Amino acid sequence: MSQPIPVQITVGNAQDLKTLKSNLLHTLVRVEYNGAVLGDSPKTNVLTDGTAEYDFSTSFEYCPDGPNSLDVLVQKPLLLTLLEVTSKDKKKTDKIAPLAQAVVDLLPLLQGVRSLKVLAPLYAVPASPSAKLYPEATAGLEVTVSAKELLLSATQFSSGNLLSITLEAAYSVPEAFTADAQQNYMACLQMPAAGEKELPLLFKNGILKADGEKEPFPRPKNWPLGPILASDALNIPDSFIVGGPYEDEDGELNKSEDKEFRSQAESARRVVWDMETRCFLDADAVAVLQTRIAECRHWPVELCRMSSGGKGKGSKSDKKDEDKQIAFHGVAYVNMMHLLCPGVKQIRGAFRVFNYEDSEVFEKTRVQYSIFRDRRSQLSLGKERLGTSPSNKAAPSKTQREDSNAMVVENYHKRVTSVAVAILEEYHELFGKQLLDQGVMDHETMEEQKRQLNYELNTSGKYFAFKEQLKYSVVKIVREKYLKTTAFETKEQLQAFLSELYVYLVDHMHMALNKLLSGEDVSPAPPPNSTRKQLLLFAREAEANKDLKLASLFYNQRIARDQHSIQAWLDYGAFCLLYEDATKAQECFQQAVCLDPQHTQSLLLCGIVCVKLQTYEEAEIFFEDACCLEPSSIIAWTLAGLFYELQNNYIQAERSFREAKKLLRAKLEEERRILEAAEGEGKKPSSPSTEPEKIPDGSADNPPELVEGVTPKEEATAVQEAPEAPEPQPPPCTIFMKTVEFLMQFNAVRFVHKALAHELLSLQGGPTCAYYLALGWTYQLREDLPRWEECLLEAVRIDPLNPNVWAQKGHLCYLKKDFDKAKDCYERVISFEEDAADMHFVYLRLGSIYLDEKEYGRAKHIYLLACDNSASCLTWLGVGIACYRLGEMLEAEDALSEANALNNTNAEVWGYLALICLQGGRELEAEQCYKYTVKLGLQNDSLLQEIRDAQNRFGFGDPSL
């Protein structure tokens, strides 16, 4: 069974609410999906300019096997209801009335998008006076919907197909069709779905219209929802029925002799749906559909008039469905063969409706059952009304109820903890901390301190403030857990409820306090003394370990140290860009531009992220600004060319590439002259032509900050005699590879692919080693290990002495858990005179392999090299573990202390310190270290067990108590 994926909905602000009602003061927003209320935002003031800030989040779970499945997400939008809150009397409950509604289509979440942000139009509820006074409302609601991971992979989406079916109307209906509320006019057809299932597509609640004018063209299509309060919200945005000449249709009744009949029928009594429903067909379902159309071209679409019986009505939904009687049952045979023709993506036409006869249906379609008659249990035939009562919420599913309860209780725990910490601070301020260290306090002193504390809290007003902090979370528990929103009928009922609630709240208060006080005697750890360079290193380590939450924390800490650091904002933006949070990446890059509007690198990155967000006009401005500010920048002109090419502006693209190539030729010529001059003087300068182009402040020619501050290996200054064999010349440098190096530094994967495509076309002698390394990098990010391996094989073939190639091959083997091959690759990297670009991770991973193989001496040596190269908590931890296993306790403790100084939130460091203290008989220190280990949530079960075994071996009490 597939794991559910949380889908989070965030309601931001509302705009132009005064166009709905001029005297609007307080509102809240209700979020519903698939018949369930997900939650209500807090009551919010409407500002004088008509805006309101809700900042409210809720969620539901997407699961292929659950109520919110793929089929539901394709068909049903998110419904948001704006509710007006009014209060005439402070003693009475606020009055809530629906004011407007909006819908959000979730289909983009299935089309390769993890997050979508929309300004959903708010449509006024017709029954409210506001709709009559202000029919031209322009209000909108800012809504963001995001999923933690892609709901459909790129392969799943590309191999499937999206099928949409629109039912417009039924014409020439029988006289027995009436507008009675007990009648429901429905149509249904069944399509193949995943796993050999059949998916019924239902069109309900057709509207019977009397004789009159024809339906207009174009007119909007409607969502397949039940009637809602704001009928205009049923319109699917940018989706219309456009009509067309009869003779161009694909159905029946499209001959010239049918024109008069259709003209008359379409203006007579009719049932109108104008409804579109959709379904996603995976690769198997597409194959089944194609086969069935090929075998039998006609597809049955059933039409029925369902009337509710007046007898034997039960309370259960299935009983109610049984009471519904089929008063009319017809079928249309839709010829689907056209869909198998090349290039045909849609069919549209009118089809005759016949009485449903089993033998005839089977003969024409090979279908042996009726959906309405034989498979009624698969359909939800009730006339549901969405958002009709602001006080009565639809019952959520069991999973949603459990999630909601857990979230409410968690909020209460946080509030209790916050208040407890605040009260403890008040106590310390009154009596100091030293009294707690003097042993057990006598009862009289304790009572006197309690009396003084209560007096101080009451007289200062802090007691009331603390109560207010708890109030909201308690109200949420009453509403969400106990579902109590109305007054009690008797005092006895009220008292019984209060007693039950009191017990529940006190129990959870004790749980929260026990959690807080379990580590109360552990003194707060001093903040780590880490520089911004070290924080960047820690962030990169966390990224490599796929701990993205920790990586984000380090990036944010780095910005907090210096909010004016352009490089800190750019590095965090690059992290956000890699992990699909393009909006946050844009904010980071724009902040860098605000700090320095002439910073070329920041302008280019703003342009790149604008392309990702598809705001192409803004992107063009950024690229043009960069070229104007730094007209000698090869990278700026090349990126501008790649952008224009994306826009199919090939003239501008060629102009930009030509300018970049001209600059590169000039640069290479200048380097050649310098080289010749140096050779004439007997010197041998390094050739800078293969180095990245200089861009001010953090350009690609500067080493990454993770190795800043580390003394590089000194190059030999003695001039040696020229060898007999000529030295290998570096591959010719191109504008595209220079640009690729810059793009890789900031995770701009899409532009890397475009630049590499140009590189492949521009090279005369075939791809270079650098080309294959860059291409392999893109596959590494996608975790496409086979293709990454193919690239590295080519890179090794071209340049077998390149340390970067062997480092990357080692990383590949390490991720494949082929540790023997990874070790061979890493050892080869270390044997080269020249270091690889990412030696830090070579050392870390090779050291971990040695530890696993119990080669502790070699592990210690490698980790010490890593500490010399770029020290971090993980490098010193590796040294500490190796020394501990070698029995070198003093060295181990020193190394672990160094690790702690760099990052005191690593649970494993505290765990090994606890072991060392136990070995040395320092019970109190061991207990403190162990409590930190537990508090920080150590995930290493074997280390936890080792600590417990050591505690038993040395005869100490259980440090966990």
Side-chain angles (χ1 to χ4, degrees):
M1 195 170 185
S2 301
Q3 291 296 320
I5 301 174
V7 177
Q8 184 173 21
I9 300 104
T10 301
V11 181
N13 60 57
Q15 302 175 7
D16 295 332
L17 292 184
K18 295 294 186 179
T19 63
L20 291 167
K21 190 174 182 181
S22 60
N23 60 346
L24 194 60
L25 296 178
H26 306 289
T27 59
L28 61 87
V29 174
R30 173 163 298 160
V31 183
E32 301 176 57
Y33 190 69
N34 194 19
V37 175
L38 303 181
D40 289 355
S41 72
K43 182 175 73 173
T44 303
N45 295 331
V46 178
L47 303 180
T48 54
D49 62 355
T51 62
E53 290 285 346
Y54 297 101
D55 195 20
F56 166 69
S57 294
T58 184
S59 65
F60 66 86
E61 287 187 340
Y62 161 80
C63 183
D65 307 309
N68 298 319
S69 62
L70 174 66
D71 302 325
V72 173
L73 257 71
V74 170
Q75 294 184 52
K76 295 190 177 181
L78 189 70
L79 179 66
L80 303 108
T81 305
L82 181 73
L83 302 170
E84 181 183 10
V85 184
T86 56
S87 178
K88 295 183 179 180
D89 189 341
K90 292 183 179 179
K91 296 181 180 180
K92 293 184 178 180
T93 307
D94 290 343
K95 181 182 177 182
I96 298 176
L99 195 64
Q101 289 184 308
V103 295
V104 176
D105 189 0
L106 302 184
L107 184 61
L109 294 180
L110 305 174
Q111 296 174 314
V113 174
R114 273 181 44 196
S115 178
L116 64 139
K117 185 176 183 179
V118 297
L119 183 65
L122 279 164
Y123 298 96
V125 174
S128 66
S130 60
K132 298 174 184 176
L133 293 173
Y134 302 91
E136 300 299 328
T138 59
L141 201 58
E142 187 183 87
V143 183
T144 302
V145 185
S146 60
K148 288 192 174 181
E149 57 187 272
L150 289 176
L151 304 187
L152 281 182
S153 68
T155 303
Q156 289 174 317
F157 181 75
S158 61
S159 63
N161 212 331
L162 186 68
L163 177 70
S164 64
I165 299 170
T166 301
L167 179 62
E168 297 179 22
Y171 300 105
S172 296
V173 296
E175 292 295 330
F177 282 24
T178 63
D180 187 353
Q182 299 298 319
Q183 309 295 318
N184 195 344
Y185 300 101
M186 296 181 285
C188 189
L189 70 160
Q190 197 143 294
M191 302 302 296
E196 300 182 359
K197 296 179 182 178
E198 296 285 324
L199 175 66
L201 301 178
L202 182 64
F203 300 84
K204 297 192 294 185
N205 307 316
I207 300 172
L208 183 68
K209 293 192 175 182
D211 294 352
E213 295 182 358
K214 288 184 178 182
E215 305 300 320
F217 291 110
R219 60 184 187 274
K221 298 179 182 180
N222 296 327
W223 292 106
L225 301 176
I228 61 176
L229 295 172
S231 56
D232 288 344
L234 279 176
N235 297 343
I236 302 176
D238 302 321
S239 187
F240 298 93
I241 297 170
V242 295
Y246 299 149
E247 56 269 20
D248 293 342
E249 293 180 353
D250 304 296
E252 304 164 357
L253 300 170
N254 55 359
K255 306 293 189 295
S256 56
E257 57 267 26
D258 301 318
K259 187 171 184 179
E260 183 178 355
F261 165 73
R262 288 190 58 172
S263 180
Q264 293 175 357
E266 290 174 10
S267 58
R269 293 176 75 252
R270 59 206 181 274
V271 178
V272 178
W273 288 272
D274 285 345
M275 186 180 296
E276 179 185 89
T277 188
R278 306 179 296 213
C279 67
F280 181 79
L281 307 176
D282 64 9
D284 293 337
V286 169
V288 171
L289 179 63
Q290 291 172 333
T291 302
R292 287 174 59 179
I293 293 175
E295 291 175 349
C296 187
R297 65 181 61 188
H298 292 108
W299 207 272
V301 179
E302 295 184 48
L303 178 71
C304 85
R305 174 168 65 97
M306 196 81 75
S307 60
S308 300
K311 297 179 182 179
K313 287 189 177 181
S315 59
K316 295 184 179 179
S317 60
D318 56 349
K319 181 65 177 173
K320 289 181 180 179
D321 283 348
E322 289 176 6
D323 291 336
K324 298 181 185 297
Q325 305 297 320
I326 300 178
F328 171 84
H329 195 186
V331 61
Y333 302 104
V334 178
N335 187 350
M336 305 272 277
M337 185 59 74
H338 296 289
L339 288 178
L340 298 185
C341 298
V344 176
K345 294 184 178 181
Q346 70 169 17
I347 56 174
R348 179 181 182 272
F351 299 89
R352 292 184 176 89
V353 177
F354 302 89
N355 285 329
Y356 192 97
E357 298 289 344
D358 289 329
S359 57
E360 185 178 352
V361 171
F362 177 74
E363 181 182 351
K364 287 195 171 186
T365 68
R366 294 296 183 265
V367 175
Q368 303 181 13
Y369 57 84
S370 162
I371 303 172
F372 285 124
R373 187 190 64 214
D374 305 324
R375 301 197 172 183
R376 191 184 300 187
S377 59
Q378 297 181 14
L379 306 175
S380 175
L381 301 180
K383 270 194 172 184
E384 81 279 8
R385 295 186 64 85
L386 301 179
T388 55
S389 172
S391 59
N392 297 325
K393 297 184 180 181
S397 67
K398 181 179 179 182
T399 303
Q400 289 169 331
R401 290 278 304 127
E402 290 174 353
D403 290 345
S404 176
N405 288 341
M407 191 166 61
V408 171
V409 173
E410 182 183 0
N411 183 53
Y412 176 70
H413 281 208
K414 288 179 180 178
R415 295 293 180 181
V416 168
T417 302
S418 174
V419 170
V421 170
I423 293 174
L424 190 59
E425 289 175 356
E426 291 293 325
Y427 175 87
H428 289 157
E429 191 172 331
L430 280 175
F431 308 109
K433 296 184 179 181
Q434 67 278 7
L435 292 177
L436 296 176
D437 302 327
Q438 296 175 1
V440 180
M441 190 180 298
D442 63 86
H443 179 71
E444 290 183 5
T445 305
M446 189 181 297
E447 286 297 317
E448 176 60 24
Q449 289 187 355
K450 179 181 176 182
R451 186 191 64 79
Q452 290 184 39
L453 180 61
N454 284 336
Y455 175 80
E456 177 63 27
L457 293 177
N458 278 286
T459 55
S460 64
K462 292 177 181 177
Y463 177 79
F464 176 78
F466 292 151
K467 277 206 310 182
E468 286 298 307
Q469 287 186 40
L470 291 172
K471 181 178 178 180
Y472 180 72
S473 60
V474 173
V475 170
K476 288 286 285 183
I477 286 176
V478 172
R479 289 179 177 173
E480 301 295 335
K481 175 176 174 55
Y482 290 96
L483 302 177
K484 194 63 185 170
T485 57
T486 57
F488 292 90
E489 296 179 2
T490 64
K491 289 184 178 180
E492 289 74 20
Q493 288 181 346
L494 173 62
Q495 192 58 46
F497 173 77
L498 289 177
S499 299
E500 181 183 356
L501 177 63
Y502 177 80
V503 172
Y504 181 85
L505 293 176
V506 168
D507 285 346
H508 279 276
M509 179 188 72
H510 287 152
M511 289 168 61
L513 292 177
N514 287 337
K515 217 181 280 184
L516 171 67
L517 298 175
S518 62
E520 182 185 278
D521 56 341
V522 180
S523 57
N529 185 26
S530 304
T531 65
R532 285 192 295 112
K533 297 174 185 178
Q534 288 171 329
L535 286 172
L536 179 60
L537 175 61
F538 302 162
R540 299 271 169 87
E541 288 176 337
E543 279 188 76
N545 293 330
K546 300 300 181 183
D547 192 344
L548 303 185
K549 186 177 180 180
L550 182 61
S552 180
L553 175 66
F554 285 131
Y555 279 117
N556 279 286
Q557 286 182 1
R558 189 161 170 259
I559 290 173
R561 295 284 179 91
D562 183 5
Q563 295 193 2
H564 296 285
S565 168
I566 292 177
Q567 193 62 41
W569 285 106
L570 295 186
D571 289 333
Y572 185 40
F575 170 78
C576 295
L577 189 64
L578 178 60
Y579 296 103
E580 301 300 329
D581 197 346
T583 303
K584 186 171 286 187
Q586 184 181 41
E587 293 172 0
C588 294
F589 296 149
Q590 287 178 346
Q591 181 64 32
V593 171
C594 290
L595 292 170
D596 182 0
Q598 296 187 346
H599 192 255
T600 308
Q601 191 176 24
S602 303
L603 291 169
L604 292 174
L605 291 171
C606 281
I608 288 169
V609 80
C610 283
V611 171
K612 188 174 181 67
L613 294 172
Q614 298 182 3
T615 54
Y616 299 112
E617 292 181 0
E618 293 182 34
E620 184 173 6
I621 293 171
F622 283 119
F623 287 125
E624 287 182 352
D625 284 353
C627 292
C628 291
L629 286 170
E630 194 76 23
S632 62
S633 170
I634 298 171
I635 292 173
W637 284 109
T638 307
L639 283 176
L642 294 174
F643 166 74
Y644 286 125
E645 193 174 66
L646 274 173
Q647 299 297 296
N648 298 325
N649 189 344
Y650 298 109
I651 295 175
Q652 280 286 76
E654 185 57 34
R655 173 181 171 272
S656 300
F657 291 147
R658 191 165 55 246
E659 183 66 24
K661 290 174 182 177
K662 183 177 74 173
L663 290 169
L664 179 62
R665 281 196 301 271
K667 183 178 181 182
L668 293 175
E669 180 62 27
E670 178 65 22
E671 290 172 359
R672 186 185 63 80
R673 285 199 299 269
I674 294 173
L675 188 63
E676 289 175 352
E679 287 175 351
E681 297 175 5
K683 296 179 181 178
K684 183 183 174 184
S686 60
S687 175
S689 62
T690 59
E691 296 176 359
E693 175 193 355
K694 290 185 179 180
I695 293 183
D697 295 330
S699 63
D701 70 316
N702 295 328
E705 280 198 34
L706 66 88
V707 293
E708 284 183 8
V710 179
T711 304
K713 294 183 177 179
E714 296 182 357
E715 297 182 357
T717 55
V719 180
Q720 299 180 358
E721 294 183 2
E724 294 181 2
E727 292 185 1
Q729 294 298 314
C733 182
T734 67
I735 61 172
F736 300 109
M737 287 311 295
K738 280 183 173 291
T739 307
V740 162
E741 292 178 26
F742 166 75
L743 294 170
M744 288 172 62
Q745 185 181 354
F746 294 99
N747 302 322
V749 182
R750 183 180 181 185
F751 275 86
V752 168
H753 277 295
K754 288 196 67 62
L756 288 177
H758 276 280
E759 174 73 5
L760 192 60
L761 293 173
S762 67
L763 290 173
Q764 304 266 338
T768 62
C769 178
Y771 168 85
Y772 281 114
L773 282 177
L775 184 61
W777 173 81
T778 65
Y779 292 131
Q780 176 190 358
L781 294 183
R782 285 161 43 184
E783 298 184 2
D784 189 343
L785 302 188
R787 289 190 175 182
W788 184 18
E789 186 171 17
E790 291 174 7
C791 292
L792 292 178
L793 287 174
E794 290 297 320
V796 169
R797 180 185 60 79
I798 295 170
D799 189 358
L801 299 180
N802 190 326
N804 290 312
V805 175
W806 291 103
Q808 293 303 310
K809 190 171 183 182
H811 296 331
L812 171 67
C813 296
Y814 189 89
L815 293 177
K816 291 170 65 176
K817 301 189 184 304
D818 189 347
F819 298 120
D820 288 336
K821 286 186 179 179
K823 182 173 71 171
D824 291 341
C825 293
Y826 289 145
E827 288 175 343
R828 186 187 293 254
V829 174
I830 294 173
S831 69
F832 287 116
E833 290 186 10
E834 182 185 354
D835 282 344
D838 60 345
M839 287 301 295
H840 182 79
F841 295 101
V842 171
Y843 289 139
L844 279 181
R845 288 175 170 172
L846 180 57
S848 71
I849 292 172
Y850 285 149
L851 285 180
D852 289 340
E853 294 179 348
K854 299 183 179 180
E855 297 185 43
Y856 301 124
R858 302 179 76 177
K860 177 183 175 182
H861 172 69
I862 288 297
Y863 279 121
L864 284 172
L865 287 176
C867 292
D868 289 338
N869 184 61
S870 48
S872 72
C873 174
L874 296 184
T875 60
W876 282 115
L877 172 61
V879 175
I881 295 173
C883 290
Y884 176 79
R885 299 303 179 196
L886 290 169
E888 301 169 354
M889 295 302 164
L890 289 176
E891 289 186 52
E893 187 168 0
D894 287 343
L896 293 170
S897 297
E898 289 287 342
N900 232 351
L902 291 170
N903 178 15
N904 58 11
T905 62
N906 189 301
E908 201 162 347
V909 172
W910 289 107
Y912 277 101
L913 282 171
L915 279 175
I916 290 172
C917 292
L918 286 171
Q919 293 273 8
R922 293 139 58 189
E923 181 180 3
L924 182 60
E925 293 178 59
E927 182 179 350
Q928 293 285 97
C929 293
Y930 181 80
K931 286 187 176 179
Y932 277 125
T933 303
V934 174
K935 194 173 185 180
L936 293 169
L938 178 65
Q939 301 297 316
N940 190 333
D941 293 335
S942 61
L943 178 56
L944 280 172
Q945 187 59 48
E946 190 174 357
I947 295 171
R948 295 190 182 103
D949 293 343
Q951 166 258 321
N952 293 328
R953 188 167 64 251
F954 294 108
F956 295 132
D958 186 355
S960 64
L961 297 178

